[in-house]
């Protein structure tokens, strides 16, 4: 039985990229084959007599290859999810109270996200983030406007406080804790931000990154 965690976090980034390649390639091939072959049939599998038929033949063979490629991608998805369920998903949090080991892992993830959101919301004290207008738009498109980030920071503070003071988590907070626990996007964005920002000294305090 699959759930959203299996799909979002069970499938590796490499497999997702392969799946996107298959989707875009299949869509492109399908449209072009319909346009080229017109009323002659969808696929052209016979000896080509001119350049148009030769291109149609190559595209038809490529389209048939995509069917085999889709089977391979499905095998990769199955292996990723199976590995995720066996290894990572056993770490999922289902209770309203976290044990000491869970606290350490979740709080570290929260600190990373808080740091990222603080920098991009413009609320970082004594820290200057120098980005181009295009770069600001990229991060705000990914994470939200400065006002949105401030609201998200308030929620992060709330969850952090509950975990530290051992208050029971609500259902939506348990979902959030699991989501942030298995998300890799924060670290990826933080590393990208580190490259984009000229003054890299602001990253020295973040868990040895």
């Amino acid at each position: 039985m699959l759930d959203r965690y299996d799909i979002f976090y069970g499938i590796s980034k490499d497999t997702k990229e392969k799946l996107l390649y298959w989707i875009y390639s299949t869509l492109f091939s399908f449209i072009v084959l319909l346009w080229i072959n017109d009323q002659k049939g969808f696929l052209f599998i016979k000896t080509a007599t001119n350049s148009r038929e030769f291109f149609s033949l190559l595209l038809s063979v490529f389209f048939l290859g995509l069917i085999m490629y889709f089977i391979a991608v499905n095998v990769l998805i199955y292996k990723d999810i199976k590995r995720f369920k066996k290894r990572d998903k056993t770490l999922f949090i289902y209770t309203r109270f976290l044990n000491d080991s869970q606290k350490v892992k979740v709080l570290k993830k929260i600190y990373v996200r808080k740091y990222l959101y603080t920098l991009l919301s413009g609320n970082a004290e004594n820290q200057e983030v120098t980005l181009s207008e295009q770069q600001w738009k990229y991060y705000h498109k990914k994470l939200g406007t400065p006002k949105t980030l401030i609201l998200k920071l308030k929620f992060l503070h709330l969850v952090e406080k509950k975990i530290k003071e051992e208050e029971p988590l609500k259902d939506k907070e348990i979902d959030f804790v699991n989501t942030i626990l298995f998300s890799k996007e924060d670290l990826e964005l933080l590393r990208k931000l580190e490259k984009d920002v000229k003054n890299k000294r602001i990253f020295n305090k973040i868990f040895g990154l």
Side-chain angles (χ1 to χ4, degrees):
M1 191 71 179
L2 297 178
D3 57 33
R4 64 183 182 278
Y5 297 115
D6 296 324
I7 303 300
F8 292 153
Y9 306 120
I11 304 175
S12 68
K13 184 178 180 180
D14 184 57
T15 301
K16 288 178 181 177
E17 289 175 352
K18 286 182 170 62
L19 181 60
L20 285 176
Y21 167 79
W22 177 84
I23 291 173
Y24 292 137
S25 298
T26 302
L27 183 62
F28 170 79
S29 303
F30 181 80
I31 293 173
V32 175
L33 281 170
L34 283 179
W35 173 65
I36 289 181
N37 293 333
D38 197 17
Q39 304 297 325
K40 299 177 182 179
F42 179 66
L43 296 176
F44 184 87
I45 307 294
K46 56 184 179 181
T47 304
T49 58
N50 54 54
S51 58
R52 182 186 179 93
E53 289 184 349
F54 180 73
F55 178 71
S56 180
L57 175 62
L58 288 178
L59 204 57
S60 297
V61 172
F62 178 69
F63 186 83
L64 291 174
L66 287 172
I67 297 175
M68 300 300 296
Y69 187 79
F70 181 66
I71 296 172
V73 170
N74 271 280
V75 171
L76 290 176
I77 291 173
Y78 171 77
K79 287 184 176 179
D80 285 347
I81 292 177
K82 184 178 180 180
R83 183 168 54 247
F84 175 73
K85 282 177 171 289
K86 184 177 180 180
R87 185 183 62 190
D88 295 332
K89 202 171 182 180
T90 56
L91 303 175
F92 262 57
I93 295 168
Y94 299 98
T95 59
R96 300 190 184 280
F97 297 93
L98 278 61
N99 60 39
D100 291 340
S101 177
Q102 291 171 334
K103 283 182 182 179
V104 171
K105 292 176 182 177
V106 173
L107 287 175
K108 184 174 180 179
K109 289 281 190 174
I110 288 178
Y111 293 154
V112 171
R113 183 167 290 191
K114 280 175 59 180
Y115 193 76
L116 180 64
Y117 285 7
T118 300
L119 290 174
L120 294 173
S121 67
N123 282 348
E125 295 182 4
N126 301 320
Q127 294 174 343
E128 183 179 356
V129 179
T130 305
L131 296 172
S132 67
E133 184 178 350
Q134 185 176 2
Q135 288 170 330
W136 278 115
K137 287 181 178 179
Y138 170 82
Y139 289 108
H140 289 157
K141 184 178 180 180
K142 278 276 187 181
L143 302 173
T145 64
K147 289 184 178 179
T148 303
L149 290 177
I150 291 173
L151 292 175
K152 289 181 178 180
L153 279 168
K154 289 181 179 178
F155 182 73
L156 284 170
H157 284 300
L158 173 65
V159 176
E160 179 187 1
K161 178 176 178 293
K162 281 193 168 188
I163 292 173
K164 286 182 175 179
E165 297 181 2
E166 297 187 349
E167 297 179 21
L169 299 174
K170 298 178 180 178
D171 289 342
K172 69 174 183 178
E173 292 165 348
I174 294 174
D175 283 342
F176 170 77
V177 165
N178 279 315
T179 299
I180 197 173
L181 186 62
F182 291 93
S183 174
K184 298 179 181 178
E185 186 179 20
D186 292 337
L187 280 175
E188 291 174 354
L189 285 174
L190 195 57
R191 293 186 187 282
K192 175 173 172 52
L193 183 60
E194 181 181 14
K195 293 179 181 179
D196 291 339
V197 175
K198 294 180 181 179
N199 181 12
K200 296 186 179 181
R201 289 176 298 174
I202 64 175
F203 291 90
N204 292 340
K205 298 179 182 179
I206 188 73
F207 310 113
L209 295 176

